[in-house]
C-alpha cells in the first residue's frame, strides 16, 4: 500500500523567540540570527525533497520555506497559524509575572483562555482540522511527499492528536528550523485518523537529544572541527 510522507517543520527564530516572548498571532519576521541559522542548517544537512508545500500565512513560516526550499510555491493554509495569545501577545514572562490573570492562565495549563485570546480547544480544533484537510488533499491527488511549515504549538497539537507513538503535547516540542517526518498510510488514516511519527528532520542532523536548534548547530560545528 502506498505511504505518504509529510514533513512538519517549525519556522526559524524570531526576535520574540529569542527574547522568550509570546509570539502567536503577531506577524513577526525571522530575526537576522534566525535567517543565518536556517542557512547554516540548510547548508550542513539534507532537508527532504517534496512535491507539495503548505505553510501558515505568517511571514516567519513563508520566509522559512523560501530559505529551505527556494523557488517553491507553497499553498497558504490560514488555520495553521499559531495560537492567538490575546493580551499576552509580544510580552515575556518577566513582564507578566505580576499579573494575577497571567499566573492563573499558566497554572491552568490551557484550562483558562488568555484575555481577548484564543482558547486551547479552539486552537487545537482549527489546526488539526486544517492538517486533516491537507492529508485528505494529498490522498486524493496521490501526492506522496509534502512539507508543512508551521509553528511550534501547531505542530505539537497535530502530533499529540494523530501521532503514534502516543506522547503528551509537550513531548513533541521541537526547535526552530527542525521538525518531524510522519508517515501516513491510507488504511490507518481512514480507520483511526492516525499516522506514524518516523523520525526527526533534517535527517542527518546530529542527535543531541535536545529540542533546540542551537544544540544542533553547535554539534555540527564541533563535527566540522573534529573532521
Amino acid at each position: 500500500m502506498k505511504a505518504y510522507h509529510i514533513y512538519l517543520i517549525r519556522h526559524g527564530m524570531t526576535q520574540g523567540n529569542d527574547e522568550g516572548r509570546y509570539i502567536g498571532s503577531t506577524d513577526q519576521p525571522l530575526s537576522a540570527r534566525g535567517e543565518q541559522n536556517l542557512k547554516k542548517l540548510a547548508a550542513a544537512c539534507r532537508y527532504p525533497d517534496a512535491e507539495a508545500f503548505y505553510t501558515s500565512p505568517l511571514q516567519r513560516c513563508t520566509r522559512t520555506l523560501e530559505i529551505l526550499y527556494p523557488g517553491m510555491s507553497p499553498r497558504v493554509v490560514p488555520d495553521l497559524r499559531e495560537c492567538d495569545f490575546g493580551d499576552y501577545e509580544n510580552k515575556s514572562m518577566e513582564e507578566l509575572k505580576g499579573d494575577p490573570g497571567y499566573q492563573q492562565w499558566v497554572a491552568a495549563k490551557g484550562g483558562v483562555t488568555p484575555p481577548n485570546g484564543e482558547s486551547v480547544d479552539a486552537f487545537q480544533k482549527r489546526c488539526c482540522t486544517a492538517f486533516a484537510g491537507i492529508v485528505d488533499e494529498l490522498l486524493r491527488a496521490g501526492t506522496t511527499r509534502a512539507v508543512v511549515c508551521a509553528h511550534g504549538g501547531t505542530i505539537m497539537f497535530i502530533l499529540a492528536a494523530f501521532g503514534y507513538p502516543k506522547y503528551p503535547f509537550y513531548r513533541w516540542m521541537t526547535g526552530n528550523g527542525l521538525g518531524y517526518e510522519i508517515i501516513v498510510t491510507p488504511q490507518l488514516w481512514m480507520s483511526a485518523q492516525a499516522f506514524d511519527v518516523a523520525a526527526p528532520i533534517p535527517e542527518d542532523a546530529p542527535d543531541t537529544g535536545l529540542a533546540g536548534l542551537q544544540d544542533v548547530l553547535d554539534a555540527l560545528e564541533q563535527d566540522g572541527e573534529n573532521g
Side-chain angles (χ1 to χ4, degrees), residues 21-54:
R21 297 181 179 275
Y22 291 101
I23 305 297
S25 62
T26 303
D27 195 7
Q28 195 171 78
L30 298 181
S31 64
R33 187 161 79 98
E35 292 218 7
Q36 182 182 42
N37 284 346
L38 279 178
K39 290 173 182 176
K40 285 181 180 178
L41 197 56
C45 301
R46 294 188 305 274
Y47 279 85
D49 294 331
E51 305 161 82
F53 297 84
Y54 299 85

Side-chain angles (χ1 to χ4, degrees), residues 153-199:
T154 306
I155 291 171
M156 290 159 74
F157 266 127
I158 289 169
L159 293 174
F162 304 124
Y164 283 105
K166 281 292 181 187
Y167 288 127
F169 172 78
Y170 286 105
R171 166 62 175 76
W172 296 116
M173 188 179 295
T174 189
N176 297 102
L178 308 177
Y180 293 95
E181 175 187 8
I182 65 172
I183 300 176
V184 177
T185 54
Q187 183 176 5
L188 181 59
W189 180 255
M190 292 174 186
S191 63
Q193 209 166 49
F195 56 65
D196 294 310
V197 183

